Amino acid sequence: MSQLETASRQRIEAHQVSRLQLGLAQILPHNAFYREKLLQGTASPTIARLEDLASLPFTTKSELLADQEQHPLFGLNHTYPLSEYIRFHQTSGTAGHPLKILDTQESWDWWAECWTSVYQAAGVGRDDIVFLAFGFGPFIGFWSAYEGAKRLGALTVPGGTMNSLERLLVIQELGATVLVCTPSYALRLAEVAQEHGMDLRESSVRVTIHAGEPGASIPATRKRIEQAWGARTYDHTGMTEAGAFGFACSEQQGVHVIESEFIAEILDTHTDKPVTEGEEGELILTNLRRWGYPVIRYRTGDLVRHGGYGCACGRSLLLLPGGVLGRADDMLIVRGVNVYPSALANILHLFPEVIEYRVIVTKNGPLDEIALQVECPAALVPVLQERLHRDLRLRIPIEAVELGALPRFELKAKRVEDRRPHEAVSRASMKGG
Ligand SMILES: [Zn+2]
């Protein structure tokens, strides 16, 4: 644990302010995007205290995309000449055009450093063998996890271009101790293992780390992964635009924000005012050492709960209980009840007989309606309905479908199918997308 992780709030904030001052001094003279946005013909903004950050404007994804459209190919959010950049990535583009992002060697090293916090909090070290079940394409995904494991001194195994069985066999052959993938894919691997008579509880994997979608912080989903793999499961939160910003500690109550490298604000979604401890709001991130591609007050669209600064693990870093709860635009309002897809996962994953499921959203007049397709025995349907009604106060129609009827996912799961008119965009919804 680094010293700053257990430091006083005063010390953490002083560190953040001085980092941001250093960053602005680099960014403002050279970064045309932020020079235009922050200076507007006036003197440099003064950030003397953390509260002063609130005087700066937000940055949005649509703004970064528009900048790229006006200034192809890469837009103007670069602090250094293009020849300094060594990595190209793009967002997955599930909700529109992908955003193209470049990193310098320095900012890429910073990504790896953030990931070492993730590994260290999960008790992963240089003696571990880390298997990354990821396609290693232009989506940043687990590329930074790969770099972080290298930096840690662990043995890294890139698990791209393999099918699920091949991945399981490599994990077995090499005796991998750490699995890194999306939570959905960890469950998919467990399903394939079962089909082939492999017992993953006997495998060498002792830690699994997940990102890309809520899951590892959803208690029932986490428990299901832990039971299938006989391992401890940790959540990680990150996004291409801002960086790898959060990790789960041994208490597994959610994720801590890496506040040495990020400033996190949690703002009320209606008023944009800071929420107080215990309340939910939108996460706004400022990254503090990715000077090659900075974001200042980036509106992530992710909903989180403010969990305060005290954790039994001893860290004084901001805690987000339950990790990323979902995205503001994921929330469904069904007969007056707010439903997040993660709440459905937390109920359905309690039942071992539920293998896979899909949420179908339709419109009944002005109201959203949802129905579920579930791979489970038909006899379970009334039990599920009763439990959903008890926990969510909603009667949800459920259709039992046969095993294998629903899609499986290697990366971000798309379990919500939106059949509402005028909203053709798939609500795949995951962050970084
Ligand atoms: Zn903790």
Side-chain angles (χ1 to χ4, degrees):
M1 214 179 289
S2 81
Q3 274 190 350
L4 207 67
E5 292 187 11
T6 54
S8 68
R9 293 304 306 168
Q10 216 175 5
R11 181 143 173 252
I12 290 171
E13 290 182 11
H15 162 89
Q16 291 175 320
V17 168
S18 85
R19 270 277 183 93
L20 183 59
Q21 286 168 341
L22 270 172
L24 287 173
Q26 291 206 50
I27 295 163
L28 290 173
H30 308 293
N31 183 308
F33 178 79
Y34 274 110
R35 194 174 55 222
E36 164 86 4
K37 209 172 149 57
L38 301 183
L39 293 186
Q40 314 220 330
T42 61
S44 299
T46 313
I47 305 291
R49 305 169 309 145
L50 199 55
E51 294 74 40
D52 297 335
L53 183 64
S55 65
L56 303 184
F58 295 116
T59 304
T60 63
K61 186 166 182 181
S62 52
E63 204 179 351
L64 293 170
L65 282 166
D67 169 57
Q68 219 152 67
E69 206 158 293
Q70 283 158 24
H71 307 279
L73 282 164
F74 300 114
L76 300 178
N77 188 16
H78 305 112
T79 306
Y80 308 108
L82 286 182
S83 58
E84 294 289 310
Y85 289 79
I86 52 111
R87 299 279 320 188
F88 164 81
H89 296 106
Q90 62 185 17
T91 57
S92 53
T94 37
H97 284 294
L99 181 66
K100 299 179 183 68
I101 291 180
L102 300 177
D103 277 293
T104 61
Q105 185 65 58
E106 184 195 43
S107 54
W108 191 237
D109 288 345
W110 171 84
W111 270 93
E113 203 181 307
C114 291
W115 257 94
T116 58
S117 304
V118 180
Y119 287 122
Q120 282 164 346
V124 176
R126 52 185 300 120
D127 293 332
D128 279 298
I129 301 176
V130 180
F131 185 90
L132 299 115
F134 171 62
F136 292 95
F139 175 53
I140 207 162
F142 294 108
W143 271 111
S144 51
Y146 173 80
E147 297 290 349
K150 266 169 62 188
R151 190 185 173 97
L152 202 63
L155 185 64
T156 51
V157 187
T161 60
M162 279 183 250
N163 66 32
S164 298
L165 181 60
E166 288 165 341
R167 283 173 171 145
L168 287 165
L169 292 172
V170 172
I171 289 170
Q172 195 174 47
E173 189 190 2
L174 297 179
T177 53
V178 180
L179 169 70
V180 180
C181 62
T182 63
S184 295
Y185 193 59
L187 290 173
R188 172 62 186 154
L189 284 174
E191 191 185 7
V192 173
Q194 202 178 24
E195 284 163 17
H196 290 83
M198 298 166 79
D199 186 355
L200 292 180
R201 290 169 302 177
E202 305 280 301
S203 82
S204 46
V205 173
R206 61 180 189 84
V207 168
T208 70
I209 302 177
H210 306 292
E213 54 183 10
S217 280
I218 299 172
T221 308
R222 183 176 69 233
K223 197 167 164 204
R224 177 174 280 219
I225 299 169
E226 289 188 325
Q227 281 176 347
W229 283 87
R232 281 204 82 181
T233 289
Y234 294 85
D235 195 10
H236 159 64
T237 48
M239 60 182 61
T240 319
E241 306 92 306
F245 69 86
F247 63 83
C249 67
S250 54
E251 298 301 313
Q252 294 183 310
Q253 295 301 307
V255 301
H256 286 291
V257 175
I258 308 175
E259 289 187 283
S260 55
E261 312 304 325
F262 296 87
I263 300 172
E265 301 169 79
I266 305 173
L267 303 184
D268 184 282
T269 49
H270 300 293
T271 64
D272 283 346
K273 296 273 176 270
V275 303
T276 54
E277 194 174 327
E279 290 180 336
E280 285 178 24
E282 183 185 353
L283 180 67
I284 312 292
L285 288 175
T286 299
N287 54 20
L288 292 176
R289 205 148 44 94
R290 194 193 198 183
W291 305 134
Y293 189 90
V295 286
I296 295 170
R297 304 197 83 204
Y298 183 68
R299 295 203 81 126
T300 65
D302 285 341
L303 284 173
V304 295
R305 181 174 296 122
H306 193 313
Y309 307 101
C311 180
C313 73
R315 290 180 178 83
S316 47
L317 302 175
L318 173 64
L319 184 69
L320 309 177
V324 169
L325 305 171
R327 292 184 58 84
D329 49 10
D330 275 349
M331 193 184 73
L332 302 161
I333 305 174
V334 184
R335 283 165 262 147
V337 179
N338 295 355
V339 184
Y340 285 108
S342 56
L344 294 170
N346 198 27
I347 296 167
L348 294 170
H349 279 158
L350 289 173
F351 297 86
E353 305 94 321
V354 171
I355 305 301
E356 191 50 83
Y357 67 93
R358 175 155 66 189
V359 185
I360 294 169
V361 189
T362 52
K363 223 161 179 69
N364 181 8
L367 301 175
D368 288 344
E369 282 293 341
I370 59 173
L372 289 168
Q373 290 178 321
V374 183
E375 284 182 22
C376 70
L380 190 69
V381 167
V383 182
L384 292 176
Q385 263 165 340
E386 189 51 42
R387 182 65 190 243
L388 288 162
H389 182 247
R390 198 188 88 187
D391 291 0
L392 300 177
R393 301 267 140 231
L394 276 177
R395 296 244 174 246
I396 300 174
I398 300 178
E399 177 195 356
V401 298
E402 65 184 66
L403 187 66
L406 298 175
R408 302 296 194 265
F409 305 96
E410 275 204 23
L411 212 51
K412 300 170 179 188
K414 293 171 185 142
R415 294 202 175 88
V416 179
E417 192 175 301
D418 196 338
R419 294 184 185 168
R420 290 175 293 187
H422 313 303
E423 286 186 62
V425 180
S426 151
R427 294 168 77 86
S429 78
M430 304 318 312
K431 55 195 178 290

